[in-house]
Every structure is written in structure tokens, then in C-alpha cells.
Amino acid sequence: MTDLIGENKQRVKKYLGLENVSVLAGAGTSWHLGAPVIRSIPEELKSICQTDIETYFEKDANPSFEDLMNCLQADRFIKEKKGESISEIDKSIKAMQKWLFDNCNTEKTTLNVTNNERLNKNRYHFHETFIKRLLQRPNNLKRVNLFTTNYDMAFDYALDNLGIHYINGFMGVHNRCFRPEVYDYDLYYPGQSVTGKVHRAEKVLKYYKIHGSLSWLATEPSVSNTYGIKEIPLNNEFKVGDDNELMVYPCVSKKSFTLDLPYSELFRQFSQTINQPQSVLFCVGYSFYDEHINDIIKQALSIPSFTLIIANFSQTKDPKSPIEELRKLNDKRIIIIDEADSNQSTFIGFIDNVMPDLYEEEENEVIATTLKKIYDKESALTKEQTVISEPAVTSQPIEVKEEKKKAKDHSDDDLPF
């Protein structure tokens, strides 16, 4: 198993050196922080939801949060067109969004992993470590692209804690509005020389929350906010209202959620990014149950130079799961880190054992190279001394003369010029 971990680590190191590196972080990257699993409707949410789930699903069905939200939004859209009342549906949508806001705030959630000292000391330790290692790539390569399906703010907080400048599609300070053109911007600072050369800032990445965020609100468009989308600081006073609905999870049935901004732009960016030559996509904690995302990834697999690396923990392997279906393709460009091995496929395990620390490895390589040179030189000197101590074939004065010449040559090699 140790050999397999080492092999995977070398693979990841190799692909981190490609020109185009992207990460898709799913719910598995927030589970250890206590973020709820919403592949099924939590019981507490069922009790506060105004709409009977059986209205849209079969009896005893256990739909996901997203499936129910899709149905509610689609039903509201149809009722609006018919001129029917949507008050009950609105109450259900607001209740679901308020529950999501209250339960996905990772500042307040109870940790699911309680026996990790680093996590207890800093709940964003592993998010910060993951980001720092991503940014160890050479600065002459393209910026890393971090995509996430999570609504929570774990990566946002980690980026802020590290002082990383992230381009997330919003612009402004007090009134942050969605402006997709900022994804084409980059960050440079002027050099100290009179030649006017500029230098590329190192601590920068591009950040895409493709399913929305707890900090995004849909408001009325205005002159200063053309698309009516704004980003707010996460605080305890937020209340879902008619004029500030949370923008989370694009509805597959409603045009205004799938084709309008910001989702259309975010998915376009995702497709454009991973469909470039020499690209690698690391899927960490993503279960491949979102068809609209999977379609884009499948399209990228038509490019010969595209590589897909998957790390997603699963206690039991379902032969019909999307990841197992990908495994059955037997495509060497699809690298699946063993799902059942928590030492590699969980977010924490991946960072601790598979994600390389490039700086640390470079330092170790330098040390190893230096020690090798030292011991090789000492070994060579020992051999020379052995030869000298043996009976000489030529006269003694000549051998001493040659040895002095060697010493002189050796001292010259130590000069810095």
C-alpha cells in the first residue's frame, strides 16, 4: 500500500506541472467540517418545508435537496405563467434556503472529524494546505483554476486566511457585483528597475463556485449592478426575502437559473478551461452525480492530452456508480485513486499522503544531491590516499609534485569565479 501511495504521489506531482491545472472540489472537501450531506432531504428540513414532497415524488421517495429545489422552482415558474398563486412554493423555497444558510456556515458547524489535532486548532487547516500546495507551481505557468460545487465558504475563508488574491467573478469593495470580465484579468506589480518591467504576483488563483454560494444574492438589477447579482459578507443577520434570494444550485428546469448569469458564464468557464490542450482536472470529493458537470468532463475526454484524476472516498463500491462506470472504460487518462482507501481518497488523506509539497521535495532533493556530492568526493579522496600509500612505481619526488598539482587544482575549483 505504501508503494501505491508513493506512486500516486509521483503521478500527482507530474500532472501539477502541466500548463493547465484545474480542481473540482465537491461535498467531500467539506464533510470533515460538519457540512450537511444533502443527497437526501434531512428530516429536520422536511418538518419545516411547506410543500408535501409526495407532490413531486413517489411515496417514501428520498430525493436530494437539489432535486426538490428543482421541482419547486420549476413548479413556481409554471404557476407564474398560469397566473396561479405561488405563495406556498415561495415559503418552501425560502425555508429551504434559510436552512441551507444556517447549516452550511462552516464557522458554526460541528466537526465530523474530532481526533485531528491540526483540525481542532484550525478548522481550515487542510483547505489552507491544499491551496498552498497548488500555488507552489512555477509562476510562469497559467493560474490554477479552483471550481467547487459547494455553497459553503470553507475555501473562501481559507483563501482569506492565507492572504491569497482570488478572482471569483465579482468586482467592487462595498458593493460587490458580478462582472464576468474579471476572469480575464490578472495581477502584476511593477519592478524596481527603470526598464519598466512588471512581475507577476504569485499568490493568485481563479475561483469558481459553479453551484452558487451562501454569499450570493439575487437582487433587482440597477445601473451599478447590471445583472442584479451581488456578493455579501456572511453574517448572522441575513434573512431570505423577496428582494434577496440566495443564488444556490442552478435549476435544470428553469431558464433563468440555467441560461442566465452567473451560471451560464461559470459553466462556460469550466468547459473552456478543461478543454484546453495539456489539461488536467483533479476531482476531489466529487461523486459525479451532477449530469450537467459530467457532460462537460466527458466532452473534455475527447481531447487526447486531457487527464482526469479522481479522489473521492466511498466505503462501499457500487458497481453502477458514475465513478465505477468511468473505471470500466479502462482509459489510462482516467486515474482513480482507490475509493475505499481513506488514506488517499478522503480530502484529509489526499492532502496528507498524496498531494505533494513541492517546496519540501525540492529541499529534500537539494539535500540529497549535496550529500551525494560530499560523500562521492570523500570516497574519491579516500581512493587517492590509498593509491598514494601504495608502493610507487615512479620516484617519490615526482609523485609528491603531482599531488601538489592536484591540491592546487582542487583549491581553484572552490573559487567563485
Side-chain angles (χ1 to χ4, degrees):
M1 183 61 68
T2 303
D3 292 340
L4 181 59
I5 291 177
E7 182 181 337
N8 286 332
K9 190 170 186 177
Q10 288 302 313
R11 281 180 176 177
V12 171
K13 179 182 178 181
K14 169 187 171 183
Y15 287 107
L16 281 174
L18 290 183
E19 181 72 16
N20 301 296
V21 173
S22 300
V23 174
L24 175 59
T29 61
S30 293
W31 178 85
H32 63 286
L33 295 178
V37 177
I38 53 178
R39 192 172 292 173
S40 59
I41 303 296
E43 290 299 324
E44 58 182 302
L45 181 55
K46 289 180 182 179
S47 63
I48 62 175
C49 189
Q50 303 293 319
T51 303
D52 187 357
I53 294 178
E54 293 183 10
T55 304
Y56 306 106
F57 302 94
E58 296 179 357
K59 186 177 181 180
D60 298 326
N62 195 18
S64 69
F65 182 97
E66 291 91 347
D67 288 340
L68 180 57
M69 181 67 80
N70 280 342
C71 291
L72 289 170
Q73 290 172 336
D75 196 15
R76 181 173 65 176
F77 178 71
I78 293 172
K79 288 186 183 309
E80 280 180 324
K81 290 298 182 183
K82 291 182 177 180
E84 299 177 3
S85 173
I86 59 171
S87 59
E88 182 179 326
I89 296 178
D90 269 344
K91 288 179 182 177
S92 294
I93 290 176
K94 290 175 182 177
M96 289 181 69
Q97 292 192 330
K98 186 65 170 66
W99 180 91
L100 194 69
F101 184 89
D102 292 338
N103 289 272
C104 286
N105 185 355
T106 54
E107 289 285 273
K108 295 184 174 182
T109 52
T110 302
L111 297 177
N112 282 325
V113 177
T114 58
N115 59 348
N116 190 296
E117 184 178 347
R118 292 168 296 172
L119 192 61
N120 291 328
K121 186 176 181 180
N122 174 15
R123 61 172 49 213
Y124 302 115
H125 168 81
F126 292 101
H127 286 80
E128 292 176 14
T129 302
F130 184 70
I131 292 168
K132 284 190 289 188
R133 293 184 182 179
L134 280 177
L135 293 177
Q136 289 175 352
R137 284 162 30 89
N139 204 34
N140 62 318
L141 299 176
K142 290 184 179 179
R143 300 294 190 191
V144 171
N145 300 281
L146 175 57
F147 298 90
T148 180
T149 58
N150 298 342
Y151 316 125
D152 63 59
M153 307 287 287
F155 278 111
D156 302 64
Y157 289 136
L159 288 163
D160 285 345
N161 292 345
L162 295 173
I164 305 295
H165 183 88
Y166 54 98
I167 300 168
N168 69 344
F170 286 81
M171 182 181 290
V173 178
H174 302 293
N175 183 27
R176 289 186 60 77
C177 305
F178 183 73
R179 298 182 184 274
E181 65 270 20
V182 303
Y183 281 120
D184 296 323
Y185 297 172
D186 208 330
L187 211 63
Y188 293 82
Y189 59 91
Q192 302 296 323
S193 66
V194 294
T195 58
K197 291 182 179 179
V198 295
H199 301 277
R200 197 174 186 219
E202 295 182 1
K203 298 166 67 174
V204 179
L205 60 73
K206 294 186 177 182
Y207 183 39
Y208 309 79
K209 302 187 80 170
I210 56 180
H211 275 181
S213 174
L214 298 181
S215 61
W216 295 5
L217 298 183
T219 61
E220 289 296 323
S222 63
V223 175
S224 60
N225 189 355
T226 308
Y227 304 109
I229 304 166
K230 69 177 183 179
E231 184 180 32
I232 62 167
L234 201 60
N235 55 60
N236 301 327
E237 299 176 359
F238 172 75
K239 294 180 181 179
V240 181
D242 295 332
D243 59 341
N244 62 347
E245 187 170 304
L246 281 179
M247 297 198 71
V248 293
Y249 198 78
C251 172
V252 297
S253 306
K254 186 175 177 183
K255 176 179 180 294
S256 64
F257 273 76
T258 55
L259 300 181
D260 284 353
L261 292 165
Y263 299 115
S264 61
E265 178 62 24
L266 293 170
F267 284 113
R268 187 189 72 81
Q269 292 279 354
F270 180 57
S271 177
Q272 179 181 340
T273 299
I274 68 172
N275 278 280
Q276 295 178 15
Q278 301 298 322
S279 295
V280 59
L281 176 65
F282 292 90
C283 292
V284 184
Y286 173 62
S287 58
F288 282 80
Y289 281 100
D290 291 314
E291 287 300 325
H292 53 295
I293 296 176
N294 296 349
D295 289 343
I296 297 175
I297 296 175
K298 290 174 184 176
Q299 176 62 33
L301 285 169
S302 66
I303 301 174
S305 61
F306 175 74
T307 302
L308 176 64
I309 299 178
I310 303 170
N312 181 65
F313 178 71
S314 176
Q315 290 182 333
T316 58
K317 286 186 179 180
D318 179 1
K320 295 183 179 180
S321 70
I323 293 180
E324 286 304 311
E325 291 297 325
L326 286 171
R327 193 193 301 271
K328 292 175 185 177
L329 296 175
N330 292 322
D331 189 331
K332 64 180 181 180
R333 298 172 303 152
I334 302 175
I335 301 170
I336 301 175
I337 295 174
D338 191 2
E339 293 178 89
D341 183 6
S342 60
N343 289 324
Q344 297 186 76
S345 57
T346 64
F347 186 54
I348 292 177
F350 182 79
I351 293 171
D352 275 345
N353 301 311
V354 181
M355 187 75 171
D357 186 335
L358 300 182
Y359 288 168
E360 181 179 300
E361 288 193 1
E362 286 178 3
E363 289 173 359
N364 291 338
E365 288 177 5
V366 170
I367 293 171
T369 302
T370 301
L371 291 176
K372 186 175 185 304
K373 288 180 178 179
I374 290 173
Y375 286 112
D376 284 350
K377 185 178 291 186
E378 288 184 354
S379 177
L381 288 174
T382 302
K383 289 180 180 179
E384 288 179 1
Q385 290 172 358
T386 302
V387 171
I388 293 170
S389 62
E390 293 176 354
V393 176
T394 59
S395 61
Q396 179 68 19
I398 296 176
E399 187 168 315
V400 172
K401 183 178 179 181
E402 290 296 321
E403 188 63 23
K404 288 181 178 179
K405 184 177 184 300
K406 288 181 181 180
K408 182 179 185 300
D409 291 342
H410 178 69
S411 63
D412 288 344
D413 290 340
D414 292 337
L415 293 175
F417 51 85

